[in-house]
Amino acid sequence: MIETIVFDVGETITRDDRYWQAWADWLDVPRHTLSALIGAVVARGQDNAEALRLLRPGLDVAVEYAAREAAGCGEYLDEGDLYGDVRPALAALRTLGIRVVVAGNQTARAGELLRGLDLPADLIVTSGEWGVAKPQPGFFERVLEVAQSAPSETVYVGDHPANDVFPAKAAGLRVAHIRRGPWGHLWADDPEVVSVADWRIDSLTQLASIVEGRESR
């Protein structure tokens, strides 16, 4: 039985296009250049932020983020940043009586912006608000606290093997890996991901079928 489904944010419910385009503009480099570097660090299994440090060695991302905010070039999210299947998928799950939580590695500001979109979710929270981030076990401890269900009755949905699939599974949760974004596509058929993930999906709308037992691994 599945009682709660918890969603990652970047490249699970939101597109990262605007986020990285804004960084490219701030650092005054072509958007394609940063995009290509993100692909390179994804292929190496490194964190996306390493792409920024390839452009500016020694860059303190947190300091630079604050500078962007102060200059009026900070984070922004609107309906266009959501993947098209998000609202119907989340609404369908709530109709089935599933508790829907959004919890990912994002800033506190991103949490405010996401809540402002009035998504059909019971709770939206970010690592910036919790003070602990994936893949740290403490993040998934918090996930289980807010899930209000047993680990075996909780599904974590995400695109990133190292941040989502493996640590969520280690915490006892069930896992759905989505083929979406650079990480989701590149690592979708990795043998370890295939072995660890309870389900591999191409769209969030498949989750309703999983809840109803109409979709296998």
Side-chain angles (χ1 to χ4, degrees):
M1 180 179 292
I2 297 172
E3 296 287 343
T4 303
I5 297 185
V6 185
F7 294 83
D8 171 44
V9 178
E11 293 301 342
T12 296
I13 67 170
T14 64
R15 304 175 188 274
D16 281 347
D17 305 50
R18 187 202 299 268
Y19 178 83
W20 292 113
Q21 288 170 4
W23 270 111
D25 294 346
W26 177 256
L27 296 175
D28 195 27
V29 297
R31 292 176 175 180
H32 174 70
T33 297
L34 180 54
S35 178
L37 289 174
I38 292 168
V41 300
V42 167
R44 295 176 182 175
Q46 296 175 302
D47 186 86
N48 291 349
E50 290 304 313
L52 301 176
R53 298 187 182 97
L54 288 173
L55 290 167
R56 299 287 187 274
L59 179 77
D60 187 319
V61 176
V63 169
E64 207 68 22
Y65 175 89
R68 281 182 52 194
E69 290 286 338
C73 302
E75 284 188 87
Y76 181 78
L77 286 171
D78 63 19
E79 194 71 20
D81 294 301
L82 296 175
Y83 276 100
D85 58 359
V86 173
R87 287 192 183 277
L90 271 58
L93 292 171
R94 294 186 82 188
T95 298
L96 292 172
I98 298 298
R99 178 170 171 79
V100 174
V101 176
V102 176
N105 274 1
Q106 304 287 328
T107 63
R109 174 59 177 157
E112 295 173 1
L113 293 168
L114 285 166
R115 289 188 288 273
L117 295 178
D118 194 27
L119 293 171
D122 296 284
L123 177 69
I124 296 174
V125 68
T126 68
S127 60
E129 294 167 322
W130 275 347
V132 63
K134 299 181 291 186
Q136 297 175 49
F139 179 91
F140 291 96
E141 291 172 7
R142 297 299 303 271
V143 164
L144 286 170
E145 288 174 10
V146 300
Q148 300 178 11
S149 57
S152 62
E153 298 174 343
T154 306
V155 178
Y156 194 83
V157 184
D159 64 299
H160 198 303
N163 282 351
D164 302 326
V165 176
F166 303 145
K169 194 68 173 181
L173 286 78
R174 301 168 82 182
V175 177
H177 180 248
I178 187 164
R179 186 191 297 266
R180 178 170 284 176
W183 284 94
H185 283 285
L186 183 61
W187 298 93
D189 297 319
D190 176 78
E192 192 171 1
V193 171
V194 173
S195 174
V196 170
D198 295 277
W199 300 277
R200 294 184 298 141
I201 60 176
D202 297 303
S203 170
L204 298 180
T205 56
Q206 293 173 249
L207 293 167
S209 295
I210 289 172
V211 168
E212 295 175 322
R214 293 187 287 111
E215 186 150 342
S216 63
R217 190 173 190 278

